[in-house]
Amino acid sequence: MTAGHHQIEPTNRGPWSAEEFGGLLEAAKSGADWAWRRLVEAYSPPLLGYVRLRGAVEPEDVLSEVWMAAATSIRRFDGDEPAFRSWLFVIAHRRAIDAGRQAGRRPQPSASTGFDGLASRLAASAESTALEVISSEQLADLLSHLTGDQRTVIALRIIADLSLEETARIVDKRIGAVKALQRRALDALRQRLEHASVSS
Amino acid sequence: MSTSDDYHSDMNRTNLTSEQAEALISGTAPVLHGLERLAMVIDALRNDESAELDEALVDRIVRGAIVRVSEPAHQDPALGSLGRGHRVGTSVRSLRRRITTVAATVALLFGSGSVVASAVDGASPGDLLYGIDRALEAVGIGNGGAAERLEEVEQIVADGDVVGGLQHAAALVAGAVDETAASPGNQAASAALASAAQRVKATRSNQADTTRTEVGALLDYLAENIGHVDGRKVAELSRLIGNEPETQPQDRGQGPVDPPGQSKEGAGNPNPGPPSPPPARDRKAPK
């Protein structure tokens, strides 16, 4: 843990029962500081991960915009916790597209991420956790080789932990289309890993 | 499940199936031999953003959110939200449909539609422009390539939803093949595909071998001609699907046809409208 960072209390991040979430939502709608703090702490990590992998140049700024948009509309939100999560990622999806177009470029693979050594570290990491051998930069590098649609679907399915149905709704595609995108994405990642293995 | 070296080699050579991909993502099945490294990457991705946030950033967001939530609403409340669990009534759907039509018209006026897209793509759920934004993306402006969208069509058909595949193909031809989507040929082809989808639905021939063969021929043509699709050829192949008689109005070349997305709701359709969304799944509360 680095200095200046805040360790989130597990109880603050849930899991929440339906009743707890209902109370939290109503309190947030009325502007309660504690409620907003819990929501922001609970959902910001995956939101930040999502906008980062969408290639946002200033992901913290995009995260702030997502929450401001949510605060503006939350009084009209009516749903349970999964619906709220999905709703937040709909907003994040739109803001990430906006930020990407403002930046005027797609995320490019970084040459400084040390990706070439990743495959060999993975091969030797049977007793380690994935996070001990793969950095955030390397993950971003891997995903930067996917198409925009593939990257979006993978980020929504894995980082946002959304279902096929929710992902399809956010990207406005049929479930079969999302299945095709995620299959192609994983195949592309696997080929990338194999290529790195051969060349390292 | 095999763990032999032969199987390992096979997994390294062949593409993943949709089921294998879904199992890897959802973590609902043991990782197949040969996919361990990919599974580790997925695991790292899932846990990448640990519970570490800049405290000052959290404070800033919370303060800003409290100010925003206390401001009077300034957006059209009728549009509401678009996600699961949100109430979107019939009148709102009708409004969104009209917005879609307006967006398509404006996109035609502006050619590729990129000007329109840039104007509205910052919209968020609840914004008036949000429906236009989604409509633009639905026809493929600025998001996704034709080859990828064709594979989506193939996957949808492979999943048994021939009608959905044809409707997706209609959108593909109308907007995602290239930026000359407004050409009469592509519009006619798109309408023919939508009409074929309607026939398959009406005749309940979704799973008939002949229907799937005919759809396969159409997809083969599209795959071989991405970027330079002949609208008349697509219309010709589409007419074969569902055995439409040769005397149908659409047979007159690139003549008047229903725009995609409208013909499927026309008279005689016994089951108009999109399928209902699936029920909400159970999911753990935030991590």
Side-chain angles (χ1 to χ4, degrees), chain B residues 259-277:
Chain B
Q262 292 186 11
S263 62
K264 67 179 182 291
E265 295 182 5
N269 183 352
N271 185 26
S276 299

Side-chain angles (χ1 to χ4, degrees), chain B residues 12-27:
Chain B
N12 283 337
R13 279 200 303 270
T14 60
N15 290 333
L16 291 170
T17 65
S18 289
E19 291 73 22
Q20 289 168 340
E22 179 60 25
L24 278 167
I25 288 175
S26 60

Side-chain angles (χ1 to χ4, degrees), chain B residues 162-176:
Chain B
V162 175
V163 173
L166 288 170
Q167 290 170 343
H168 201 63
L172 168 72
V173 172

Side-chain angles (χ1 to χ4, degrees), chain A residues 1-2 4-8 13-16 28-33 36-37 40-46 48-49 52-53 60 63-64 67-69 71-83 85 87 90-91 93-95 97-98 101 119 122-123 125 128-131 133-136 139 142-143 147-150 154 157-166 169-177 179-184 186-187 189-191 193-194 197, chain B residues 10-18 20-22 24-26 34-35 37-66 68-77 79-87 117-118 120-127 130 133-135 137-138 141-145 147-149 151-153 155-156 159 161 163-165 167-168 275 277-281 283-287:
Chain A
M1 185 70 53
T2 57
H5 284 76
H6 177 65
Q7 176 63 55
I8 296 166
R13 301 183 61 196
W16 299 311
K29 286 180 179 180
S30 66
D33 178 285
W36 276 102
R37 189 166 297 279
V40 170
E41 289 176 342
Y43 294 105
S44 287
L48 196 55
R52 276 180 179 157
L53 284 178
E60 286 82 7
L63 176 69
S64 296
W67 281 113
M68 293 312 104
T72 301
S73 305
I74 196 168
R75 284 183 173 172
R76 287 182 282 115
F77 175 84
D78 179 23
D80 57 10
E81 190 279 326
R85 185 185 186 90
W87 182 69
V90 170
I91 299 172
H93 180 67
R94 308 310 317 150
R95 297 302 183 198
I97 290 174
D98 191 29
R101 286 177 176 158
L122 283 171
S125 62
S128 305
T129 65
L131 282 173
V133 293
I134 309 173
S135 69
S136 297
L139 285 172
L142 267 176
L143 269 77
T147 68
D149 278 352
Q150 290 172 352
I154 288 297
R157 289 299 322 277
I158 298 174
I159 295 177
D161 191 28
L162 299 183
S163 68
L164 274 171
E165 292 81 358
E166 290 163 332
R169 193 169 297 117
I170 288 177
V171 299
D172 203 18
K173 292 180 182 291
R174 292 176 183 276
I175 291 174
K179 284 182 181 176
L181 283 166
Q182 67 184 24
R183 186 191 65 73
R184 282 177 62 124
L186 293 190
D187 260 335
L189 290 176
R190 188 170 59 141
Q191 288 171 16
L193 287 169
E194 287 170 5
S197 179
Chain B
D10 285 346
M11 281 309 304
N12 283 337
R13 279 200 303 270
T14 60
N15 290 333
L16 291 170
T17 65
S18 289
Q20 289 168 340
E22 179 60 25
L24 278 167
I25 288 175
S26 60
L35 298 177
R37 285 189 296 176
L38 181 58
M40 287 195 76
V41 168
I42 291 172
D43 188 43
L45 195 58
R46 200 185 309 280
N47 296 289
D48 181 34
E49 294 306 324
S50 56
E52 191 171 339
L53 281 176
D54 187 301
E55 192 171 359
L57 175 63
V58 171
D59 288 342
R60 222 167 33 243
I61 290 174
V62 169
R63 283 198 304 271
I66 291 170
R68 285 290 182 100
V69 81
S70 63
E71 292 174 347
H74 61 274
Q75 294 171 332
D76 181 359
L79 282 177
S81 307
L82 301 176
R84 188 192 68 222
H86 309 158
R87 292 190 286 262
S118 64
V120 302
D121 61 20
S124 60
D127 291 351
Y130 187 68
D133 196 3
R134 288 170 64 90
E137 286 201 357
I141 294 175
N143 193 15
E148 191 163 82
R149 283 171 184 265
E151 182 168 347
E152 295 169 8
V153 173
Q155 178 70 53
I156 292 166
D159 283 351
D161 183 6
V163 173
Q167 290 170 343
H168 201 63
R281 68 169 181 164
R283 191 229 311 280
K284 60 184 183 298
K287 292 171 278 194

Side-chain angles (χ1 to χ4, degrees), chain B residues 76-117:
Chain B
D76 181 359
L79 282 177
S81 307
L82 301 176
R84 188 192 68 222
H86 309 158
R87 292 190 286 262
V88 182
T90 304
S91 60
V92 176
R93 291 196 190 94
S94 175
L95 174 60
R96 289 182 60 203
R97 193 170 296 127
R98 288 200 297 274
I99 289 173
T100 301
T101 304
V102 170
T105 305
V106 175
L108 290 177
L109 290 174
F110 282 87
S112 70
S114 58
V115 174
V116 184

